[in-house]
Amino acid sequence: MPRIVVDVMPKPEILDPQGKAIVGALPRLGFTGFSSVRQGKRFELFTDGEVTEELLAQAREAAATLLSNPVIEDVVNVEVVAD
Amino acid sequence: MTETPLIGAPAPEAGSNAALAGARIGVVTFPGTLDDRDAARAVRMAGGTPVQLWHADTSSDVLSDVDAVILPGGFSYGDYLRAGAIARFAPLMSRIIDAANSNAKLPVLGICNGFQMLTESHLLPGSMLKNDHLKFICRDQVLRVENNTTAWTTDFDANQEITVPLKNQDGQYLADDKTLDALEAEGRVVFRYVGFNPNGSRRDIAGIANEAGNVVGLMPHPEHAVETGYGPGSFENSSTSTDGLGFFTSVLNKLVGGTK
């Protein structure tokens, strides 16, 4: 089924508390090579038919209004995935 | 909703002040709201009349019956997506946003999850992140009332320190420096944490107001500190804080045109 993927990340200047917790846990499992982690969100919006330009525009608008909060987050990617 | 006050100081008799009882305060319930009944009870103990409102009510005159609105605490929609983000698009919220921005300036108080809804709906600036220490926190919290001219704070003295419960997961208030500077300059930082910042909020901010002062949001819970024996305190000391009552008496006095 065709779908639109939207990726949202915390803004670079914002300290990500969840990422901080994860980077603290990694060395406990022996993963010592990572200096920081940032956690974001991936949304998959499924469409019944082909992804049209109009649907893509709607996805971009949804990403900016509901899926992200522009005060703390950036929409870093909106793309069509066909499989 | 006809709960009777239980133990402790006698509550005001319902209708003991007809003018106050005539003031009707809507309390909104969303899926996942927890503190709506506490908020309704606080309104009643302050002498007003609480009115239950449902988030999905689409009738155009849904707010015609109320003089102010409280968005209570809880975990609307399980905090999915972001705290308050889905509730913000409830049919009733559109009405509340319009009424708060209208000339009538409907008084709106957002407590905890309600505060998160107010920032998500842009009635108040900034946003909320997970607590900087990543843990849920529940404690008796001292706040300083830095603006006692809003619709919800006129019964407090300037810079009065009050103690009310705080309980949150996503309580770290955040905005860019320009916004924070503007809030400070305009006196819109209404409450600041005193002695201990429980969640990493910028500049110890616990609550803010909009420009007109009719919309106020804060993370701590005044509705849990309205009755002796049931508010902040200890097992040893049962004469606990009722500092939260001032929020509700403030708006009631304002609505009936009285002074404190």
Side-chain angles (χ1 to χ4, degrees):
Chain A
M1 204 187 298
R3 62 187 193 270
I4 302 169
V5 170
V6 176
D7 294 311
V8 173
M9 290 297 291
K11 281 186 182 295
E13 65 270 25
I14 286 175
L15 179 75
D16 169 22
Q18 295 180 109
K20 203 176 116 193
I22 295 164
V23 80
L26 285 172
R28 294 204 286 275
L29 296 167
F31 303 117
T32 53
F34 306 106
S35 56
S36 75
V37 174
R38 297 183 71 73
Q39 178 183 327
K41 293 174 187 153
R42 171 188 168 108
F43 302 88
E44 298 188 346
L45 310 178
F46 292 84
T47 58
D48 283 336
E50 202 182 325
V51 175
T52 59
E53 270 309 311
E54 195 204 333
L55 281 173
L56 198 54
Q58 278 189 33
R60 288 199 186 92
E61 199 183 332
T65 51
L66 178 62
L67 304 184
S68 73
N69 178 341
V71 178
I72 51 172
E73 296 168 322
D74 290 326
V75 177
V76 293
N77 185 37
V78 179
E79 68 175 337
V80 181
V81 174
D83 51 15
Chain B
M1 293 201 291
T2 53
E3 305 110 295
T4 318
L6 298 172
I7 306 172
E13 287 288 318
S16 61
N17 180 327
L20 287 186
R24 298 167 64 83
I25 315 291
V27 178
V28 186
T29 301
F30 297 85
T33 295
L34 299 177
D35 298 322
D36 42 349
R37 286 168 59 103
D38 297 59
R41 195 154 181 279
V43 168
R44 192 176 295 110
M45 295 194 74
T49 301
V51 177
Q52 195 165 24
L53 298 176
W54 180 239
H55 73 110
D57 196 328
T58 53
S59 50
S60 59
D61 60 348
V62 60
L63 294 178
S64 64
D65 192 31
V66 298
D67 306 302
V69 166
I70 295 171
L71 301 172
F75 296 87
S76 60
Y77 296 92
D79 273 355
Y80 294 168
L81 189 58
R82 295 177 306 278
I86 297 179
R88 174 257 177 276
F89 291 101
L92 182 57
M93 278 303 289
S94 311
R95 304 275 179 204
I96 291 171
I97 292 165
D98 289 347
N101 286 329
S102 74
N103 290 335
K105 295 191 177 17
L106 180 78
V108 179
L109 175 67
I111 302 167
C112 196
N113 193 215
F115 184 17
Q116 293 158 341
M117 291 174 204
L118 291 176
T119 60
E120 281 287 340
S121 61
H122 309 298
L123 278 173
L124 295 175
S127 186
M128 234 66 73
L129 278 183
K130 284 202 187 309
N131 297 340
D132 59 350
H133 48 76
L134 294 163
K135 296 183 186 74
F136 186 91
I137 188 167
C138 179
R139 70 192 302 270
D140 297 342
Q141 178 69 47
V142 181
L143 310 175
R144 187 168 52 244
V145 182
E146 298 200 355
N147 179 341
N148 68 341
T149 65
T150 77
W152 300 89
T153 55
T154 47
D155 277 4
F156 295 108
D157 297 326
N159 295 315
Q160 183 177 341
E161 291 190 2
I162 63 173
T163 304
V164 297
L166 169 105
K167 45 169 193 173
N168 67 63
Q169 168 88 25
D170 295 273
Q172 181 182 175
Y173 180 72
L174 171 149
D176 59 45
D177 282 332
K178 199 178 140 204
T179 305
L180 293 171
D181 289 342
L183 285 172
E184 306 251 19
E186 294 162 19
R188 290 165 58 193
V189 175
V190 185
F191 306 100
R192 228 183 282 263
Y193 298 116
V194 175
F196 175 71
N197 183 334
N199 43 33
S201 288
R202 299 296 180 277
R203 304 190 192 184
D204 300 334
I205 291 173
I208 56 174
N210 67 345
E211 225 173 299
N214 60 312
V215 179
V216 170
L218 80 165
M219 283 315 289
H221 288 261
E223 81 282 17
H224 294 330
V226 295
E227 186 181 7
T228 306
Y230 288 89
S234 62
F235 285 112
E236 293 75 29
N237 176 12
S238 64
S239 62
T240 54
S241 157
T242 55
D243 291 345
L245 209 51
F247 287 73
F248 309 97
T249 56
S250 292
V251 76
L252 291 170
N253 283 326
K254 179 187 163 64
L255 289 170
V256 300
T259 55
K260 59 175 173 176

